[in-house]
Structure formats: C-alpha cells, structure tokens
Amino acid sequence: MTDVGQRDVGKALINAFALLLVLSYALPYVYLLMTALKPAADVQQIPPRFFPHTVTLENFREVLSTATLPKAFVNSLVVAVLTTVLSLALAVPAAYVATQYRRPITVVFLLFALITRMVPAVSLGVPLFQLLKSLGLLDTKAGLVVAHTSTAVPLALLLMAAFFEGIPKELAQAARMDGCTRFQAFTKIILPIMKPGIAITALFSFIASWNEFLYALLLTSEHSKTAPIVIAEYNSVYGLAWGPMTAAAVLYSLPVIIVTLVLQKQIIGGLTFGAVKG
C-alpha cells in the first residue's frame, strides 16, 4: 500500500472514530427528543421503542399551556444571565491582575480559587441558606444569583487566568509607552484580544448557572423556582410524567444550544488561543 493510501485509510479511521464518538454523546439527547414526540401510550410501552410509532406535539403543547414552566424558564434565564455578567465582571479583571502583575498574594489568590472549586456544593448549602435568610433573600432571584455567582466566579477566574497567561506582557508595556494608562491598556488592547477566552468563560458560567439544581432546590420555593426544579416535579397519578418531562427538558436545552451556536466562532478561537507562539 502506498503512503497516500495509508494516509487515506488512517484519515477514514479517524473520521469513523470521531463519528462514533459524536453519536455516543448525541444518542441520549436523540432518545430524549424521540420520547418527547411520542404520545402518552407509547411512552409507557413495554418493551420501549426508540422511534415513536406516531409523532405528536401534545407533550410540548401540554408543558407550554401551563403557567408554571414558562415562569420557571424566565427565572432560569434571568438568573443565568445575571450570574454570567457578574462572574465575568469580577473574574476578568481579577484574573488579569493576578497573571500579569504576579505577586505572592496573587498566587495565593489563584490557589484559593482552585481550592474553592474542590469544596462540594452540598457542604455550602446550609451556610448559604442561613446567610440568605438573614438578608431576606430566600426565594428571590437576587439570592439565587448570589449563590450561583459564588460557585461560578472561581471557575471563571481559573479559566480567564489560563487565557491571560498566553498574553505577552509586552503588549501592555507597549501601550503604556504610547501614553495609555493601565486601565486603558486593559480595555483597549487586552480585552479585544481576549474575546475568544471571554466567550468560552461566559458559556461555561451560563451553563453552570442554567443547569444548577441543588441551590435552586434549597433556596427557592415558589416565586423564584427555576426550570430544573419544575421539570423534576412532573408527576401524574401513574408516577413520573415522562412525556411532558422530556418535552420540557428538550425546550430547556434549546437556549444552551443557541448560545453555543452564536458563540461558535469565538469558542473555536478560544480553543486554539495561545496554541501558536510567534
């Protein structure tokens, strides 16, 4: 076999493996979507069928006809967006200072952020509950934003610190020599370069808040209940209402898919950021 033939075979094997890997990740979501499109009788069928015998949108109509789920979606969206914005506002400048102006205290600061990520979220549930109760923020979107931000900021800080490590310090120094202040060098020179890293950090922060279940369960009851809690509460006289539950889960996944598609170019740029040294 020639070298060209060997390369073609190797490329085909790599593509086949990549396709199998993608399908293995996509299969649970496809099954979720197929279940959401089944009528109630088919959902409970034994043995279960992967593809629906009859395609119907009755599960989607049912979940959208209730006032509970749309309100929970709005709560989730507001909390996730505010958590993302607040996390970036705190983490981006902090990570820049910690990486570009290294001092012993900044190393301790980053180490503390790493240790914070190691703390189980369940161990913080009771202290957060007591704190928000004393502040009168239980069952409020503001209280949930505070709780989500407390876990999103360390993640955003570590991600942004890794991206800032790839920025040469000479860029800021050159801007200072041209008359910029440190703040101007940061906002006009560094931040435009860091758009891919900020996009990835924003996406991870958004997903962390959007999918969060524990704090939403502990800190909300009625007014600020988020979609994961409402989806978990779908019940019928026969047990879990799998049809409406899966339909709600499909709808709940759409914002993350849309955000990922919107930030696709920045995400790809962030994945390769700093890979080439020139």
Side-chain angles (χ1 to χ4, degrees):
M1 183 179 293
T2 64
D3 293 340
V4 176
Q6 290 178 347
R7 285 196 297 268
D8 290 341
V9 172
K11 185 177 180 180
L13 291 175
I14 292 174
N15 290 336
F17 177 76
L19 180 61
L20 288 175
L21 188 62
V22 170
L23 289 176
S24 67
Y25 279 99
L27 186 62
Y29 186 79
V30 173
Y31 186 71
L32 182 76
L33 178 60
M34 293 298 102
T35 304
L37 295 174
K38 293 178 182 179
D42 287 357
V43 172
Q44 304 292 339
Q45 183 180 3
I46 298 176
R49 295 170 56 95
F50 187 87
F51 295 103
H53 182 70
T54 302
V55 176
T56 178
L57 297 178
E58 66 179 47
N59 293 318
F60 292 95
R61 286 193 291 267
E62 180 177 344
V63 298
L64 291 175
S65 63
T66 62
T68 305
L69 189 63
K71 180 182 177 181
F73 266 67
V74 172
N75 291 339
S76 293
L77 184 61
V78 171
V79 171
V81 170
L82 292 178
T83 298
T84 301
V85 172
L86 188 57
S87 299
L88 290 177
L90 295 174
V92 171
Y96 176 71
V97 172
T99 54
Q100 299 298 307
Y101 304 96
R102 279 200 177 273
R103 299 290 187 275
I105 187 63
T106 62
V107 176
V108 175
F109 180 67
L110 291 176
L111 182 62
F112 179 75
L114 179 61
I115 294 174
T116 304
R117 290 292 302 167
M118 299 178 182
V119 178
V122 67
S123 65
L124 302 176
V126 174
L128 274 173
F129 182 89
Q130 295 293 341
L131 176 63
L132 296 181
K133 182 180 180 180
S134 64
L135 297 174
L137 294 177
L138 280 180
D139 199 19
T140 63
K141 288 187 282 290
L144 200 55
V145 168
V146 171
H148 286 186
T149 304
S150 67
T151 58
V153 166
L155 174 63
L157 180 60
L158 292 174
L159 287 173
M160 289 307 306
F163 286 114
F164 278 125
E165 287 286 356
I167 296 292
K169 295 181 180 180
E170 289 76 13
L171 283 177
Q173 293 172 358
R176 294 292 305 279
M177 293 179 64
D178 289 338
C180 292
T181 63
R182 288 184 175 180
F183 181 76
Q184 289 174 333
F186 173 65
T187 56
K188 295 181 179 180
I189 305 298
I190 303 301
L191 281 185
I193 300 174
M194 292 303 300
K195 284 183 180 179
I198 293 174
I200 286 184
T201 305
L203 179 62
F204 274 89
S205 299
F206 182 86
I207 293 175
S209 176
W210 185 256
N211 292 337
E212 203 282 323
F213 183 86
L214 178 62
Y215 291 159
L217 179 64
L218 293 176
L219 305 177
T220 65
S221 55
E222 290 296 331
H223 299 93
S224 300
K225 189 179 296 185
T226 57
I229 306 301
V230 174
I231 293 173
E233 292 176 348
Y234 267 101
N235 290 301
S236 68
V237 293
Y238 303 104
L240 291 177
W242 289 107
M245 180 184 287
T246 53
V250 169
L251 294 175
Y252 189 65
S253 66
L254 293 181
V256 175
I257 296 174
I258 294 172
V259 171
T260 303
L261 293 176
V262 170
L263 300 178
Q264 184 177 8
K265 290 184 178 179
Q266 288 80 3
I267 292 171
I268 294 174
L271 293 175
T272 59
F273 185 83
V276 179
K277 295 291 184 179

